[in-house]
Amino acid sequence: MLISNLELVPGKKVIKHLGLVQGSTVRAKHVGRDIMAGLKNVFGGELKGYTELLEDSRKEALARIEQQAEALGANAVINVRFSTSSVAQGASEIFVYGSAVIVE
């Protein structure tokens, strides 16, 4: 499955548009990560626990659009975009969407 944030896949021709595909995941912060983040806020530095949490969330959301695209018979997803939002205190959503297409 080709995944692209462009409106096309370079060197390929879109022959059929199959529709919008989307994937999301909602994750809550972990108490242990919050404690480490609090220390980092005092001393500075990357919040690696949160970085890992967001990376895992992005991968899961991308896997979900890939599954939807495959179910539609697509071999590519183009114009992929990510969005994030706060759902509740301490919980955030990663939302990814794009257009499922067939390219040749």
Side-chain angles (χ1 to χ4, degrees):
M1 178 72 59
L2 298 169
I3 306 286
S4 175
N5 65 335
L6 301 174
E7 293 179 11
L8 49 84
V9 177
K12 304 281 186 182
K13 180 180 178 183
V14 175
I15 59 170
K16 188 170 185 183
H17 181 272
L18 300 172
L20 178 71
V21 288
Q22 59 191 7
S24 69
T25 183
V26 176
R27 300 281 177 106
K29 295 187 284 183
H30 183 277
V31 173
R33 287 182 176 153
D34 279 347
I35 292 168
M36 292 306 294
L39 291 173
K40 289 287 184 173
N41 281 335
V42 172
F43 299 108
E46 180 182 5
L47 304 177
K48 290 183 181 179
Y50 290 155
T51 300
E52 291 170 5
L53 178 69
L54 289 172
E55 179 63 25
D56 291 345
S57 297
R58 282 190 294 271
K59 286 179 183 176
E60 186 172 333
L62 272 172
R64 290 178 178 171
I65 69 163
E66 194 170 328
Q67 289 170 352
Q68 281 188 8
E70 285 175 356
L72 293 173
N75 64 356
V77 182
I78 59 174
N79 210 24
V80 172
R81 300 291 183 257
F82 288 88
S83 177
T84 182
S85 62
S86 179
V87 176
Q89 180 74 20
S92 294
E93 176 189 36
I94 296 287
F95 180 67
V96 62
Y97 58 95
S99 296
V101 297
I102 297 175
V103 296
E104 61 177 17

